[in-house]
Amino acid sequence: MKSLFLALSLLLSCFFTANAQSKQPNILFLIADDWSFPHAGVYGDQVVRTPTFDRLAAEGALFTNAYTASPSCSPSRASVLLGRYPHQNGDGGNLWSEFPNAQPTYVQILEKAGYHTGSTRKGWGPGEFEVTGFDHNPAGKSYTGFAEFLANRPDGAPFTFWFGSTDPHREYVANTGIQAGMKLEDVVVPGFFPDNDCVRNDIVDYYFEIERFDRECGQLIAMLEEMGELDNTIIVMTSDNGMPFPRAKANLYDYGTRMPLAIRWPKKVKPGTVVHDFVNFVDFAPSFVEAAGQSQNSMSGQSLCGLLAGEKQDRDQVFLERERHANVRKGDLSYPMRAVRTHQYLYIWNPMPERNPAGDPTVHQSVGQYGDVDHSITKFLIMALEGKSAAGFPDLFELSFGQRPEEELYDVEKDPYQLNNLASNPSFASVKEEMRKELLDWMEQTGDPRFENPKSTYWDEARYTPDYQHENIDWQKQIEEYRIRPPFGQFSREGIPCLSDLE
Ligand SMILES: [Ca+2]
C-alpha cells in the first residue's frame, strides 16, 4: 500500500494534468562531449567560465552526484535515449557499434505522443543506426540548428530537441585557453597528472571548448526566451562522459563518470535546488516520458521527477560500467569494468585484469599506443614518465597505462583522485565484501551477461564499425614540438617548450 501511494505521488509530481496545466512541457537536452565534473563556475572552478550552466543551476536544480552510465560516447548516449544500462543494450554497450532497436527510445515514445522531435550535430554516436532500421539519428531527425527545427514545428506542438556539441572533445587548437585570458597558475591539476605548465595549458584548452559549449547553450536558451516558451521547457545541460585525458574518459574513476548536470523547469523545480543524491544517466529517459504524461515499461532508470520536486529518496549509490571503447587491443578485445560508487567509496571490478585497460602499448587498429586515451600533450608527458617514478610518489605512468588488479577500492572522501587502491588492505575487507555483493546483486537484477559469465566474449565479438588503421604516434616528437604561447610578452611568438618539465 505504501509503495502504491509512493508510486502515485511520484507520478503526480511530474505528470502534467489535463485539466490543470494542459500544456505538455518541451524538453531541451544540451549535451557536451567529454566534459567532467567539477569543471563549471557553480561547482567552484576558478578558471572556466560557465554563465549559462550557472544560470540554469541558480534558476533550477544543480546535481552534485550525477553519473554517466558509461564513460564512452555511444554507450552513454544509448543509455540516455533508452533509459537502460549499457549491458542491457546489446552491441550498443560498445563504442562504434550499432544502435539497438529492441526497445523504444524516449524520442520515439514522445514522437508517438505528438511531440515534434529533432536533434542537431552530435546525436547518438559514433556508430551505425541505419543497419538496425533507423532512418535518422536515434536522438532525433537532424536539423541544421534549433531555428530550423522550430520553423518546422507544427503549431502548438510540444517539442523535444537534442543539441549535441562536439565540445570539449579533442582535438584542441593549442593555446586557445591561455590566449582567451585563462591563467595557468589558477588551474587545479588532478592528482593523476604531472603538474607542469604544459599540462595546465592542455587543461585550459579543454576549458576553452567548455566555454564555447556554454555560450552556444546560452544562445538556444535566448531563443526560447524570445518565443515565450522558456518556462514551459525542461532544460537539461550535461555531458556524455568525462574529460579526454588519461585515467579520465573511458575509466570508471570520477573524472570519467561524474558529470556536470543542471536542470531548469520552473513549473516543478524551485530555484537554487541542490541535489546530492546519486543520479544515473539511465534516469533521463523515464523522467522525460513521465513529464510528457506517457508511460513505458522497458526502462531501468528511475524518474527524476521526485528529486526535482524536492523529495528525499533512497539513492545512496550508483552503478557504472564499460565495455569496449576504441578498438585498441589485439583481437578486438573489450576491457570490461563494473563499479558501484557510494558517497564514501568506489569499488571497481575488472573481470579481465590480464588485458590492458588503456589499450595495448602498440597500436591495434585505432588511435595509437594506449588508444583508449585520446592523444594529447598530457598523455605524451605521462608516457615519457615510464619507469621514472620516484619512491613515495604515485607512479603516474602505471596509473594511466598499466594493468590493474581485479578489484579496486577507493575511499573517495579521503582520496578524491582515486590514487590509493585499498582493495588488498585487510582493514577494508568488510567494506569491499559489502560493495562487491551490492554490485553483483545489481548485475543479477539487471541481467548483466557478466553475472553468469564474467569472461563473456560478447562485446569482443560485436562489430567495430569504422574501417581504418592507425599508426603508432611519434610522441617524443610531439613533446619536442609543443609550445605554450601566451598572448603577450617575449614568449608569445616563439613559445615555451615543455621539455624541461621532464627532467
Ligand atoms: Ca564523449
Side-chain angles (χ1 to χ4, degrees):
M1 191 61 207
K2 196 179 159 201
S3 63
L4 179 68
F5 176 76
L6 186 67
L8 278 174
S9 66
L10 281 177
L11 195 66
L12 289 173
S13 69
C14 240
F15 190 60
F16 86 98
T17 44
N19 44 6
Q21 291 167 324
S22 64
K23 216 164 151 21
Q24 287 163 297
N26 307 310
I27 297 162
L28 179 61
F29 191 72
L30 308 166
I31 184 165
D33 193 354
D34 297 3
W35 176 28
S36 288
F37 176 96
H39 298 144
V42 70
Y43 290 126
D45 193 289
Q46 299 296 309
V47 181
V48 69
R49 294 153 294 196
T50 53
T52 308
F53 185 81
D54 301 354
R55 174 190 170 186
L56 295 179
E59 296 175 1
L62 177 71
F63 291 76
T64 60
N65 283 296
Y67 281 76
T68 179
S70 185
S72 173
C73 301
S74 329
S76 164
R77 289 159 188 258
S79 293
V80 168
L81 289 161
L82 292 160
R84 295 163 61 82
Y85 287 108
H87 65 255
Q88 300 176 313
N89 296 332
D91 293 10
N94 276 358
L95 186 75
W96 279 116
S97 196
E98 297 173 2
F99 192 84
N101 62 5
Q103 308 292 346
T105 64
Y106 79 81
V107 177
Q108 289 171 317
I109 293 172
L110 266 53
E111 190 167 81
K112 265 198 188 148
Y115 270 67
H116 178 47
T117 66
S119 70
T120 195
R121 295 174 21 202
K122 186 165 177 176
W124 172 81
E128 288 184 6
F129 51 81
E130 297 90 344
V131 288
T132 51
F134 284 80
D135 55 11
H136 57 69
N137 192 289
K141 187 181 164 193
S142 208
Y143 290 88
T144 53
F146 197 32
E148 193 205 5
F149 168 77
L150 291 171
N152 281 276
R153 176 190 185 190
D155 258 358
F159 66 80
T160 177
F161 187 70
W162 170 300
F163 169 64
S165 169
T166 52
D167 288 334
H169 197 288
R170 290 186 188 274
E171 296 176 354
Y172 302 148
V173 177
N175 297 302
T176 44
I178 198 171
Q179 287 172 10
M182 290 185 238
K183 303 252 183 307
L184 300 188
E185 60 268 31
D186 294 339
V187 172
V188 174
V189 179
F192 41 91
F193 301 150
D195 186 356
N196 61 52
D197 281 349
C198 281
V199 170
R200 286 168 179 259
N201 202 48
D202 201 17
I203 293 173
V204 296
D205 288 344
Y206 154 74
Y207 283 174
F208 176 86
E209 295 207 354
I210 295 170
E211 293 190 354
R212 189 164 59 189
F213 170 66
D214 190 86
R215 279 195 299 276
E216 282 199 291
C217 291
Q219 288 162 7
L220 268 68
I221 292 165
M223 290 169 74
L224 274 182
E225 236 167 342
E226 274 166 35
M227 291 158 59
E229 299 255 11
L230 180 63
D231 287 353
N232 190 43
T233 302
I234 303 171
I235 304 174
V236 178
M237 186 167 169
T238 190
S239 170
D240 64 342
N241 57 256
M243 64 197 296
F245 285 71
R247 209 171 158 90
K249 176 178 176 179
N251 286 275
L252 300 191
Y253 310 116
D254 277 2
Y255 280 76
T257 52
R258 193 176 189 176
M259 296 288 100
L261 173 63
I263 300 181
R264 184 188 191 279
W265 188 19
K267 290 195 173 154
K268 301 287 177 189
V269 185
K270 279 197 198 120
T273 299
V274 179
V275 180
H276 297 300
D277 293 72
F278 284 104
V279 164
N280 188 300
F281 274 19
V282 296
D283 300 334
F284 287 133
S287 311
F288 298 157
V289 170
E290 187 183 333
Q294 304 303 305
S295 60
Q296 51 76 25
N297 56 15
S298 60
M299 297 179 179
S300 302
Q302 198 184 345
S303 168
L304 297 171
C305 289
L307 281 185
L308 287 170
E311 207 170 274
K312 184 69 196 141
Q313 294 188 351
D314 172 25
R315 295 186 181 222
D316 296 329
Q317 75 281 307
V318 71
F319 298 98
L320 312 165
E321 61 190 289
R322 70 156 264 180
E323 286 294 339
R324 191 175 63 205
H325 183 60
N327 195 1
V328 295
R329 290 169 206 88
K330 196 174 178 191
D332 308 340
L333 305 180
S334 175
Y335 188 89
M337 305 180 193
R338 299 289 185 272
V340 54
R341 169 77 157 80
T342 65
H343 289 292
Q344 193 174 358
Y345 295 106
L346 169 67
Y347 169 80
I348 302 174
W349 180 43
N350 300 302
M352 296 170 120
E354 67 282 6
R355 297 182 178 181
N356 294 309
D360 288 346
T362 55
V363 70
H364 174 72
Q365 192 169 0
S366 59
V367 183
Q369 305 94 313
Y370 307 113
D372 271 349
V373 184
D374 297 284
H375 289 327
S376 66
I377 189 65
T378 303
K379 172 179 178 175
F380 303 143
L381 289 169
I382 297 176
M383 287 174 75
L385 294 175
E386 184 171 10
K388 292 183 183 166
S389 79
F393 292 92
D395 187 327
L396 299 181
F397 176 86
E398 284 299 321
L399 285 172
S400 281
F401 305 119
Q403 292 190 342
R404 297 171 187 169
E406 185 177 349
E407 293 183 290
E408 299 173 68
L409 179 70
Y410 301 95
D411 180 339
V412 295
E413 282 180 359
K414 290 195 183 124
D415 180 16
Y417 299 123
Q418 292 125 42
L419 302 173
N420 183 21
N421 182 9
L422 305 167
S424 56
N425 183 328
S427 314
F428 293 88
S430 62
V431 172
K432 187 175 75 171
E433 196 57 43
E434 209 173 289
M435 294 192 77
R436 183 202 289 131
K437 188 179 176 309
E438 260 193 272
L439 183 68
L440 288 170
D441 285 350
W442 166 75
M443 289 173 66
E444 184 179 20
Q445 284 158 15
T446 56
D448 190 336
R450 291 204 190 276
F451 177 76
E452 293 293 340
N453 179 13
K455 305 272 183 191
S456 166
T457 57
Y458 179 86
W459 286 283
D460 300 340
E461 288 154 21
R463 191 162 71 97
Y464 191 73
T465 52
D467 178 23
Y468 56 49
Q469 180 64 51
H470 285 204
E471 306 277 314
N472 281 321
I473 191 162
D474 185 349
W475 53 270
Q476 290 97 337
K477 184 161 169 264
Q478 297 281 322
I479 295 173
E480 277 165 32
E481 289 176 354
Y482 191 88
R483 295 289 182 277
I484 302 170
R485 294 184 203 281
F488 312 108
Q490 60 166 324
F491 293 113
S492 63
R493 189 173 294 241
E494 71 269 32
I496 306 163
C498 46
L499 277 178
S500 57
D501 290 318
L502 297 178
E503 303 312 318

